[in-house]
Amino acid sequence: MRIFLLKTLSNSLRKQCYSTRNVKKVTHCIFDMDGLLLDTEQVYKKMITQLCAKYGHVYTEELMMKVLGGTEQRLSEILCKDLNLPVTPKEFRDELLEMGDKMLAGTPMLDGAERLICHLHNTKVPFALATSSSERSVKTKIAPYKELFSYFNHMVMGSTDKEVKFGKPHPDIFLVAASRFPDKPKPEKCLVFEDSPHGVTAGVKAGMQVVMVPDPHLDKRLTTHATIVLPTLAKFQPEMFGLPPFQ
């Protein structure tokens, strides 16, 4: 009876961590950055809230969900239009970047991120970064972790990469990231790691499986299109996707 109860508990915990979709073996991994590897989402919320308040407006949850995961350009265009701000999207973005130079510096890594990156590096699994941020923002955020981020095969920065024509939820950034691996894997051989609904949509549209690590307060209905949903990257089990297991 005790063994049965332990197995039942184990299966129950497993179901809490993983959705019910079937998974397939992959050979390459592609990571988002903000809100997944680095704890920057609350910093961005604070920055945008302050900037909107400067012009007499409130940065609502509805607006936040609208711009989450998108490029800096798209975020600026949406906010300037929806709030009828007295500045151009470029001016808004420039102000945001200037704030980010200070406020985004030194943001901590999220649970399980460093361990997973080091594991993939040590087991020689190819992996890349696909972030909607600009090169300027990325340099600020990864400055304390230069060695760790040097393990990535390459980085695609959606806000400044000319090959990324459309940001998330369009699939461009993940397809570009896949095409830059030396062996150019097919989309179905790539596993995307994301935290935002728009990012998951982009990965699915690219023909890839997606591991989602959403904000715990996110409406569960916005997570159903992911292949699996986890509370943190620390709960990821590489062997489920045919990758080398943690030792």
Side-chain angles (χ1 to χ4, degrees):
M1 176 63 74
R2 184 176 179 181
I3 293 175
F4 173 77
L5 288 173
L6 287 173
K7 283 185 177 180
T8 302
L9 178 59
S10 176
N11 290 335
S12 176
L13 289 171
R14 187 181 180 87
K15 287 177 182 178
Q16 288 177 31
C17 294
Y18 295 97
S19 68
T20 56
R21 292 173 186 250
N22 293 324
V23 298
K24 298 176 180 131
K25 290 184 179 181
V26 298
T27 54
H28 297 63
C29 295
I30 304 176
F31 290 86
D32 175 46
M33 181 169 67
D34 294 296
L36 177 83
L37 301 177
L38 294 175
D39 193 10
T40 55
E41 290 301 340
Q42 289 305 310
V43 182
Y44 269 115
K45 183 178 180 180
K46 184 177 180 180
M47 286 165 53
I48 299 169
T49 296
Q50 290 181 7
L51 201 47
C52 288
K54 174 183 174 181
Y55 297 108
H57 291 277
V58 176
Y59 182 47
T60 64
E61 289 291 323
E62 183 181 357
L63 282 171
M64 185 173 72
M65 290 307 303
K66 202 169 181 180
V67 303
L68 191 63
T71 62
E72 294 161 2
Q73 296 99 311
R74 185 65 181 147
L75 177 151
S76 300
E77 288 168 2
I78 290 172
L79 293 179
C80 284
K81 180 180 178 182
D82 286 16
L83 298 177
N84 194 27
L85 300 182
V87 290
T88 66
K90 183 183 182 305
E91 290 170 333
F92 187 91
R93 183 190 175 198
D94 287 344
E95 287 189 80
L96 194 64
L97 285 170
E98 190 171 338
M99 292 175 73
D101 289 340
K102 295 180 180 179
M103 295 178 69
L104 289 169
T107 48
M109 305 257 338
L110 285 164
D111 186 31
E114 184 174 1
R115 179 191 181 214
L116 180 54
I117 291 171
C118 289
H119 172 69
L120 295 177
H121 172 68
N122 292 334
T123 54
K124 303 189 185 320
V125 174
F127 59 101
L129 190 74
T131 172
S132 296
S133 296
S134 62
E135 184 176 1
R136 176 175 170 178
S137 292
V138 170
K139 283 183 178 179
T140 298
K141 287 177 275 196
I142 71 172
Y145 315 105
K146 285 184 179 178
E147 182 179 356
L148 190 67
F149 279 86
S150 72
Y151 296 160
F152 285 81
N153 186 84
H154 54 276
M155 299 185 186
V156 181
M157 305 169 211
S159 289
T160 46
D161 194 303
K162 292 182 179 179
E163 282 192 55
V164 180
K165 302 300 181 184
F166 300 99
K168 303 169 188 177
H170 297 278
D172 302 37
I173 193 167
F174 292 122
L175 293 173
V176 169
S179 73
R180 290 182 184 171
F181 284 112
D183 53 347
K184 301 187 183 303
K186 292 180 179 180
E188 57 266 30
K189 288 297 181 180
C190 297
L191 180 63
V192 168
F193 291 82
E194 265 286 354
D195 68 298
S196 75
H198 286 332
V200 175
T201 299
V204 172
K205 285 183 177 179
M208 303 174 184
Q209 295 179 94
V210 186
V211 175
M212 186 181 195
V213 186
D215 183 289
H217 301 105
L218 186 71
D219 188 331
K220 296 296 185 291
R221 290 173 294 183
L222 299 176
T223 70
T224 57
H225 54 323
T227 308
I228 65 172
V229 181
L230 303 176
T232 72
L233 282 176
K235 295 294 185 181
F236 179 63
Q237 297 177 14
E239 62 271 23
M240 287 192 70
F241 291 89
L243 299 171
F246 288 116
Q247 297 300 315

